[in-house]
Amino acid sequence: MSLKKLVELALKEGATEAEVFCSKARLVNVETQRGSVGFAEESASEGLGIRVVAGGALGFSSVNDPRRYEEAVKAAVRCARARGPDPSLKGLPRPGQYRAATGIYDRRLEELSLDECIDMAAAMVAEAKKDKDISVTFGKLTSQASETSIVSSSGIDACEKETAVYGYIDVILKKDGQVSTAFDYDVSRALDVDFSLVGARAAELARSSLNAVSVESGSYDVLLGPQAFADIMEGTLLFAINAESVQKGRSSLSSKMGEKVAVDGLTMIDDGLLPGGLGTSSFDDEGVPTQQTIIIKDGILESFIYDSYTAGKEGRESTGNAMRGTYQLSPKVGPHNVRFEYPRSDVIGETERGIYVNSIIGAHTANPVTGDFSVECRNSFIVEEGQKMKPIKSLMLSGNAFDFLMKIDGMGRDDRKVGAFVTPTVKVKDVRITRGS
């Protein structure tokens, strides 16, 4: 049965509005253990998520068996009727004008074979192991192609194809009684990545982290690499700009609209149309056109991000930020590609003395409401006269994510895609560092 027929069935069953979300995906996944391929699998999935409005309430059901599509539609209607009216529900979204999303689909990835993925994973491992002291503890290479379709009773009829490839490697180096570890990764929407370079970079980082020294506890200018900065901001800043967090009174930014929340000159944009972005698409997961939403402009908080439900609560339009993750879930508010506009420079080369932090451990322990965090630094280096010098032994970095926005003192030119962020190395002034044991 077509998606349109399922929508018609929902209306016949008593729904006043209906939407069918269909997701088809092909996934190739290769994992290595101790330097050898330990797992390789190619899989395909397809399923539907059905949302309906009935009796003033929202009902949802999901299914992956075509023989049960009609049953799932009826279940969604029953679910809505059982919940009772929701006064905050303003209905499902209406159609809008879509702009083309560029750089999100590569046919070569859709046709990439399991054997080709195994070869790329093996090349990544082999390059790392060219350093005879390196052991590869874990590696992963994933290729995905998907197609999303949304049809609704309001007139939404949208379809889009996407692809992505991701490679990751974790290594350990043992030499003369010393041990160092490192990881690296790369990700793209197209088959344009040389994953052997990922293995080489991980090995190089592990070797450069040998012979580490201690530093005294105190306040330092800290250069947070893209991974470290994104990890700190993911569980704090992204939580705070989410309209659902704001409406539930859990965002520390909820009362600061129009106020200064970041350093002068900093603009932060959630860009749903960024060419080649990991979160780029023509429409969000309820069929609303994506857009560029300016969240912070020149240090001033300008907007939060919304889906249709949270936008309806405030009598405003959705920003096109409804996300599902899977057809089995109803949409929730989420970011696309959060990027920064700020004067760029060689922030490491301009630093007389500071500490560079490549990545961190423990970002998940940050308090999403207050923004407070305390994390362990990984692969850190003393920076002197514009150069990364000696590696540093165990360090703890603590502070407040929202304070960090007010203490930014520079951004590099080395943008990387890290989850929902596209971010460079970020220099933050006067950060508290505690010497590890």
Side-chain angles (χ1 to χ4, degrees), residues 25-29 41-44 142-145:
R26 172 181 175 268
L27 182 71
V28 179
N29 189 41
E41 179 184 58
E42 179 177 352
S43 61
T142 301
S143 173
Q144 180 173 336

Side-chain angles (χ1 to χ4, degrees), residues 58-129:
L58 197 62
F60 177 78
S61 179
S62 66
V63 62
N64 64 358
D65 184 350
R67 295 169 298 181
R68 301 180 60 195
Y69 283 177
E70 294 185 26
E71 179 185 333
V73 170
K74 296 175 182 179
V77 176
R78 290 197 301 271
C79 175
R81 287 174 171 161
R83 297 182 68 180
D86 180 353
S88 297
L89 179 63
K90 300 301 187 289
L92 299 179
R94 300 294 181 256
Q97 187 67 41
Y98 300 136
R99 286 180 284 177
T102 60
I104 65 170
Y105 173 75
D106 186 343
R107 180 178 293 277
R108 294 174 298 171
L109 281 179
E110 187 172 25
E111 298 173 349
L112 197 66
S113 70
L114 179 61
D115 286 343
E116 289 173 305
C117 287
I118 291 173
D119 288 343
M120 288 192 294
M124 183 168 61
V125 170
E127 192 66 28
K129 292 172 68 176

Side-chain angles (χ1 to χ4, degrees), residues 259-328:
E259 297 182 11
K260 184 178 177 63
V261 296
V263 67
D264 290 342
L266 179 69
T267 293
M268 186 174 86
I269 301 169
D270 181 51
D271 192 346
L273 294 165
L274 180 70
L278 300 182
T280 298
S281 59
S282 297
F283 52 88
D284 71 2
D285 285 344
E286 55 183 0
V288 174
T290 54
Q291 63 180 39
Q292 293 180 340
T293 302
I294 298 176
I295 299 164
I296 298 171
K297 184 174 183 180
D298 194 17
I300 305 299
L301 181 63
E302 288 218 336
S303 179
F304 302 117
I305 56 175
Y306 296 81
D307 63 1
S308 292
Y309 183 79
T310 54
K313 281 186 169 183
E314 299 181 21
R316 57 169 296 156
E317 296 295 320
S318 167
T319 56
N321 285 94
M323 304 293 177
R324 295 186 194 244
T326 170
Y327 68 87
Q328 297 172 310

Side-chain angles (χ1 to χ4, degrees), residues 20-42:
V20 179
F21 174 94
C22 178
S23 175
K24 303 177 183 178
R26 172 181 175 268
L27 182 71
V28 179
N29 189 41
V30 179
E31 294 183 4
T32 69
Q33 299 286 348
R34 298 181 180 179
S36 300
V37 173
F39 174 83
E41 179 184 58
E42 179 177 352

